[in-house]
Amino acid sequence: MSITIAMYSHDSVGLGHARRNRAIAHALAADLPRLTGETVGGLLIAGHPDAARDSLPAGWDWLVLPGFTHTTAGYAARRMSLPAEQMSALRGATVAAAVDAVSPDLFIADRHPFGVGGELTEALDLLRGRPDCRTVLGLRDVLDAPEAAGREWDAVGGAERVAEAYDQMWIYGDAAVYDPRRTGEIPAALAAKGRTTGYLAHGRPDDDGAPAARPYVLTMVGGGSDGAHIALASALSEPPAGHRHLIVTGPQMPTEDVARIREAVDRRQESSPGRGGEPRVQVLRSAGNVPALVRDATAVVSMAGYNSVAEVMATTTPALLVPRHTRRAEQPRRTAALAAIGALDSLPAVELSPQALTRWLAGAVNRRTPRDQVDLDGLTRVGGFAAELIGAARTTPTEVPAHA
């Protein structure tokens, strides 16, 4: 026999949702065959074409939907000239056709239980009619301020509706550090279905990429769509003595912002060339081997998105997080929780400057930051969680629907 997994992420801003699913796909591909004795393959359904740049295990593939972007007025088509409602209908029909064709044993949706504009509703209705399929809603460690999270649950029909659609909820964090069930971000009707995995940190997939010449410090801003202010401040900061500074802008940073950062680096190089004329600051658009770059850096400056933080937490590299302070309270709340236990340092965006980064980097390169106090082994647990669900589905009598 074989096991088929389908995973969904909406991907309107950044690549965090798709990359979280991709990390889980690699973990399931590694562990489920050992746990079940069966081969495993799957389909990752994503909403941004850049997601498909990342490799998948053998037997897995990407399905990239027409894209949404998030605007001040709500969701809008990224490229197509279609109203949001028609985009949701197009994407929903595509997802439903895909899950009908692959007939998954397990379906995992990241963060948005019914997708954009309810686009997952048809697919979930289809899967609920199949007693041999289980459904999981995956949530990051922090959602938002409790009142904002409550409004989002209400907007999709309430926690009870979500609980009817999903068999389990996996929370990708350490409840001893931050538990969204205790803060009120997850309603009581859903909390009973929740299982914390630990952060998806150790064992993240690491694609090939050129290693950086050591020693170096690193700045990374996730997908890059709203990280130009951090990358520019890093470009204007002074690298610690004897160090190079590697800045990864992310593939989604606007080209005009990348140009400004490169111009700042060029001006600094002209006024203060490195030894032998070598550039002291290097700007990369993207890198497939970010986990390795973080591990080998002497210090890292980063935004506080889930995946960036997970990559940092898997190492002992000192880290300074500059959380996004717009749209959601997610990043400041995550940063505060981890800073409170000494796992990293934080800098509010309003205090960001080249001088502040210069001071922090100069001290950080002389130390390491152990993070043994945090549960970072989520990727080693999801295989066991999945095996339990799939096994339970296969032992459910066919005349009793699994979701009854």
Side-chain angles (χ1 to χ4, degrees), residues 56 87 91 97 110 154 201 244 251 268 309 336 386:
L56 290 175
M87 278 289 292
R91 287 164 51 113
D110 189 90
D154 291 342
R244 295 170 63 250
R268 174 170 285 277
V309 170

Side-chain angles (χ1 to χ4, degrees), residues 12 59 73 86 106 133 147 188 196-198 208 241 248 260 277 302 323 336-337 343 372 398:
S12 63
Q86 287 182 245
L106 181 66
C133 178
E147 57 275 14
T196 53
T197 63
D208 292 336
V248 182
R260 283 195 303 135
S302 175
D372 299 336
T398 56

Side-chain angles (χ1 to χ4, degrees), residues 272-294:
S272 179
R275 183 179 301 175
E278 289 292 322
R280 297 190 65 195
V281 182
Q282 180 183 4
V283 179
L284 296 179
R285 201 74 167 89
S286 62
N289 58 334
V290 168
L293 292 176
V294 174

Side-chain angles (χ1 to χ4, degrees), residues 45-290:
I45 304 166
H48 199 288
D50 285 334
R53 294 181 180 182
D54 294 331
S55 67
L56 290 175
W60 295 68
D61 208 344
W62 292 99
L63 171 62
V64 178
L65 303 171
F68 269 116
T69 189
H70 201 276
T71 71
T72 55
Y75 289 104
R78 181 179 286 118
R79 293 178 179 172
M80 299 182 71
S81 56
L82 284 178
E85 295 79 6
Q86 287 182 245
M87 278 289 292
S88 290
L90 170 60
R91 287 164 51 113
T94 304
V95 175
V99 299
D100 187 33
V102 302
S103 190
D105 299 283
L106 181 66
F107 177 80
I108 303 172
D110 189 90
R111 176 66 176 89
H112 292 270
F114 301 106
V116 180
E119 64 190 9
L120 281 186
T121 303
E122 183 181 353
L124 287 168
D125 287 344
L126 182 92
L127 295 175
R128 279 186 302 188
R130 297 181 178 179
D132 56 348
C133 178
R134 289 292 192 258
T135 54
V136 170
L137 176 63
L139 297 178
R140 59 185 180 238
D141 56 336
V142 183
L143 302 183
D144 205 334
E147 57 275 14
R151 289 192 295 270
E152 289 197 356
W153 293 117
D154 291 342
V156 298
E160 291 79 7
R161 181 184 178 219
V162 178
E164 290 174 0
Y166 288 93
D167 294 297
Q168 273 189 10
M169 179 176 60
W170 294 351
I171 303 168
Y172 305 134
D174 179 349
V177 176
Y178 192 99
D179 190 342
R181 296 167 296 187
R182 289 203 301 263
T183 63
E185 292 159 68
I186 296 176
L190 272 177
K193 292 199 170 188
R195 301 185 73 177
T196 53
T197 63
Y199 286 93
L200 307 178
H202 289 148
R204 293 180 75 85
D206 192 7
D207 284 351
D208 292 336
R214 302 187 204 178
Y216 65 91
V217 295
L218 172 69
T219 292
M220 59 182 190
V221 291
S225 60
D226 55 358
H229 60 300
I230 301 174
L232 184 58
S234 288
L236 296 172
S237 69
E238 184 65 26
H243 286 69
R244 295 170 63 250
H245 196 151
L246 180 63
I247 300 173
V248 182
T249 66
Q252 295 179 338
M253 185 175 288
T255 54
E256 57 270 24
D257 288 335
V258 177
R260 283 195 303 135
I261 293 161
R262 292 189 187 278
E263 288 168 6
V265 169
D266 290 342
R267 288 195 302 270
R268 174 170 285 277
Q269 174 66 13
E270 290 173 3
S271 62
S272 179
R275 183 179 301 175
E278 289 292 322
R280 297 190 65 195
V281 182
Q282 180 183 4
V283 179
L284 296 179
R285 201 74 167 89
S286 62
N289 58 334
V290 168

